[in-house]
Amino acid sequence: MKNESFKIQGLDRKRVLNGSITISGAKNAVLKAIAASVLFDDTVTLSDVPYTEDVKKIIKLLEESGSKIDISKLNDGKIITIDNSSFKNTNLNKELTQSMRASVVLTGPILAKHGKVSFSVPGGCVIGSRPIDLFINGYKKMGVEIVEQDDTYIMTAKDGRLHGAEIFFNFQTVGGTETLMMAAVLAKGKTILKNCAMEPEIVSVAEYLNSCGAKINGAGTTTITIEGVDKLNSNGNIYNTLPDRIETGSYLILGALCADNLRVEKCNPQHIESLTSLLIESGIKLDIGKDYIEIKNNSITDLNKLKSFNVRTHEYPGFPTDLQSPIVTYLTQVNGESTVFESIFEDRFRFTQNLIKLGAKITNMNSREILIHGNSHLNNMGGENLDAFDIRAGFASIIASLVAKGESIINNVYYIDRGYENILENLNRLGAKIERIKN
Ligand code: EPU
């Protein structure tokens, strides 16, 4: 898998793709819901599970610890069930934890339920240093003793059970908010988390836990209060994964540049207003319904008539860092200059090398900000190979390759497979010509 590439035929700025895309369940929600299953005494059922590489990995991590996970109903409502009654190994597999940042989220539920966990420093996409200090500070306040040995953290709840605490996050951290919120569900007493992230994925997991007996208040705001309970039972309640807002936004940006008509279905338009408002301002005509967004007769307006705009990435509900690379690609095509400021991760502009190889004009202002000169006619007649860099940069490279003239090869598409289900099938159905090749 790691050495596969995509071969993509460019459309030379013609907006000819047509059709519809059905959005999957959100990867970044289901990973947390799978982690949350550790808190339960009984079997947990999840639906609309996107079976991406990251999801396969977290399933494997749990299985290594003794969990029994049934994926036989994936073809039927994308359902999986998780039975953690024989979960016993609290030493998380080193290789798997190091290959996926989201593995750190498992530590909260494991500590809450089993009083101890050991794991290696998590890795994942190369987009910045991604420390875990905010998790560590929070755990210490909840009564956890932490020993660091080489690259492994050994954590033990001093009284055998976590206790409630008041925790202020110095940054709004998505994973930190989710993890400490889940840890607090089975802690003794009350936990107050302040300066929390407000992403819809956090709300979705909190609502599910509450439907099963947890006492979480304020998810979706900056202060979350959790009254610890003694146990959690699903009693057959199913976790329905909410639509993936980043997948929604990724296809909308791709459609804005490459499609005439594109209907993005089974999405939640309210979760992606930070993007749709900019696209509309830029001149893209969108029909926005309750659970769909449609780009209509897009090829009527020339690309160079679309307006540029400036972007600053921000925690939800602001413009998501995960759509920064696709939107930079968009801005290379429209009229005028724009600046993009990356406020969340300190190293998320590496992919611009790909765009520059294809002829985009981008100036680095500093490590956090770039200036884009629009209306570039990208071309890959020189046969440049592109690198996926990370999940979202990988998607941005697909957009750039489709817009460009000529054929492009994107290497390391393993990254793309981590976050986008059935991507080739989806795009080829719209009329693109993309194939997977083994190197
Ligand atoms: N941070 C710290 N210390 C910590 C935790 C975070 O300094 O202990 C910093 C990070 O280094 C970063 C900022 O806080 O600069 C925000 O990071 P956050 O913790 O919010 O990110 P995350 O939980 O690791 C999730 C998504 C990312 C997405 C970010 C921001 C998952 C599995 N991952 O990561 O998604 O970019 O939130 O929205 O939910 C992706 O899907 O491609 C992806 C990278």
Side-chain angles (χ1 to χ4, degrees):
M1 295 281 280
K2 286 220 159 150
N3 52 2
E4 290 180 355
S5 303
F6 288 166
K7 184 157 95 178
I8 303 184
Q9 305 302 327
L11 300 171
D12 193 13
R13 296 187 115 207
K14 292 186 191 69
R15 285 180 289 168
V16 291
L17 302 184
N18 274 295
S20 66
I21 298 278
T22 302
I23 293 305
S24 304
K27 160 187 92 82
N28 288 346
V30 85
L31 289 172
K32 321 306 165 57
I34 292 174
S37 73
V38 174
L39 295 167
F40 287 77
D41 282 349
D42 60 352
T43 298
V44 173
T45 302
L46 302 92
S47 73
D48 287 313
V49 174
Y51 203 50
T52 59
E53 291 303 313
D54 273 8
V55 171
K56 290 179 196 168
K57 238 182 231 177
I58 199 163
I59 287 178
K60 214 166 166 196
L61 254 173
L62 281 182
E63 283 175 339
E64 295 245 334
S65 289
S67 308
K68 296 203 176 64
I69 302 178
D70 180 1
I71 57 163
S72 63
K73 289 200 202 124
L74 266 177
N75 287 333
D76 176 17
K78 299 203 169 174
I79 286 175
I80 67 169
T81 56
I82 309 177
D83 168 7
N84 285 315
S85 54
S86 42
F87 183 103
K88 53 181 176 305
N89 180 10
T90 56
N91 305 323
L92 294 178
N93 176 292
K94 185 171 176 172
E95 200 187 324
L96 287 169
T97 42
Q98 284 184 338
S99 66
M100 181 175 61
R101 167 82 182 176
S103 57
V104 69
V105 175
L106 269 173
T107 60
I110 296 176
L111 266 172
K113 181 77 177 162
H114 299 279
K116 57 181 181 171
V117 68
S118 76
F119 67 102
S120 298
V121 184
C125 293
V126 187
I127 51 182
S129 61
R130 304 186 87 180
I132 58 164
D133 53 314
L134 303 177
F135 295 73
I136 304 270
N137 294 344
Y139 285 150
K140 283 186 179 158
K141 290 199 165 148
M142 295 178 87
V144 177
E145 198 170 71
I146 301 177
V147 177
E148 227 184 305
Q149 264 175 18
D150 302 325
D151 58 356
T152 302
Y153 289 95
I154 303 163
M155 302 187 169
T156 319
K158 279 186 256 176
D159 308 328
R161 182 178 177 186
L162 301 178
H163 58 71
E166 256 190 67
I167 296 163
F168 183 89
F169 294 111
N170 292 336
F171 300 95
Q172 287 191 338
T173 157
V174 176
T177 302
E178 291 161 331
T179 307
L180 294 180
M181 178 181 87
M182 293 194 280
V185 164
L186 292 184
K188 195 166 186 307
K190 189 202 259 188
T191 299
I192 303 176
L193 304 176
K194 295 180 186 164
N195 197 26
C196 294
M198 302 190 286
E199 270 62 6
E201 294 76 21
I202 302 171
V203 179
S204 151
V205 172
E207 282 175 350
Y208 178 67
L209 292 173
N210 281 345
S211 74
C212 301
K215 293 187 177 154
I216 304 171
N217 257 304
T221 73
T222 53
T223 302
I224 304 181
T225 307
I226 306 112
E227 290 281 355
V229 295
D230 290 336
K231 56 184 182 168
L232 216 54
N233 274 294
S234 78
N235 293 321
N237 276 341
I238 296 178
Y239 174 76
N240 299 308
T241 315
L242 76 169
D244 195 315
R245 65 194 162 91
I246 304 299
E247 188 191 28
T248 303
S250 304
Y251 281 115
L252 281 176
I253 297 171
L254 183 144
L257 292 182
C258 305
D260 189 18
N261 292 288
L262 177 71
R263 189 176 162 99
V264 177
E265 292 180 330
K266 240 188 129 184
C267 61
N268 185 338
Q270 284 181 8
H271 289 168
I272 195 69
E273 278 183 288
S274 59
L275 170 69
T276 49
S277 67
L278 287 175
L279 290 179
I280 291 168
E281 214 177 283
S282 177
I284 301 289
K285 300 211 168 34
L286 297 180
D287 171 14
I288 302 180
K290 195 163 173 283
D291 61 355
Y292 70 88
I293 304 174
E294 197 164 347
I295 297 178
K296 281 186 165 166
N297 297 324
N298 194 30
S299 59
I300 286 180
T301 320
D302 285 343
L303 275 179
N304 60 15
K305 297 265 163 51
L306 296 170
K307 284 191 226 135
S308 60
F309 46 81
N310 299 331
V311 176
R312 188 181 178 97
T313 62
H314 198 279
E315 294 84 2
Y316 186 85
F319 192 90
T321 173
D322 290 341
L323 289 178
Q324 182 253 100
S325 43
I327 208 68
V328 167
T329 312
Y330 177 87
L331 291 168
T332 65
Q333 296 306 297
V334 300
N335 187 34
E337 287 188 345
S338 41
T339 57
V340 174
F341 188 94
E342 172 55 57
S343 72
I344 311 289
F345 293 110
E346 71 275 18
D347 191 14
R348 218 175 187 181
F349 282 130
R350 289 187 196 203
F351 75 96
T352 54
Q353 296 166 32
N354 285 340
L355 298 174
I356 291 166
K357 273 186 187 173
L358 300 183
K361 294 182 204 75
I362 297 174
T363 312
N364 284 330
M365 310 290 281
N366 55 59
S367 63
R368 292 280 192 168
E369 190 171 22
I370 58 173
L371 171 68
I372 302 156
H373 311 268
N375 201 15
S376 291
H377 291 236
L378 303 185
N379 99 64
N380 201 358
M381 303 311 281
E384 293 279 4
N385 278 18
L386 310 178
D387 195 294
F389 289 107
D390 72 69
I391 304 177
R392 313 304 171 185
F395 196 96
S397 307
I398 294 180
I399 303 178
S401 305
L402 281 172
V403 172
K405 184 173 182 177
E407 181 181 283
S408 298
I409 304 278
I410 303 177
N411 295 325
N412 294 322
V413 295
Y414 166 75
Y415 280 116
I416 304 174
D417 293 331
R418 288 181 53 189
Y420 294 93
E421 212 184 8
N422 302 329
I423 186 158
L424 289 202
E425 294 80 350
N426 278 345
L427 292 174
N428 286 334
R429 222 176 341 98
L430 297 179
K433 290 202 175 76
I434 310 185
E435 59 182 295
R436 188 182 287 269
I437 49 176
K438 292 194 180 0
N439 300 318

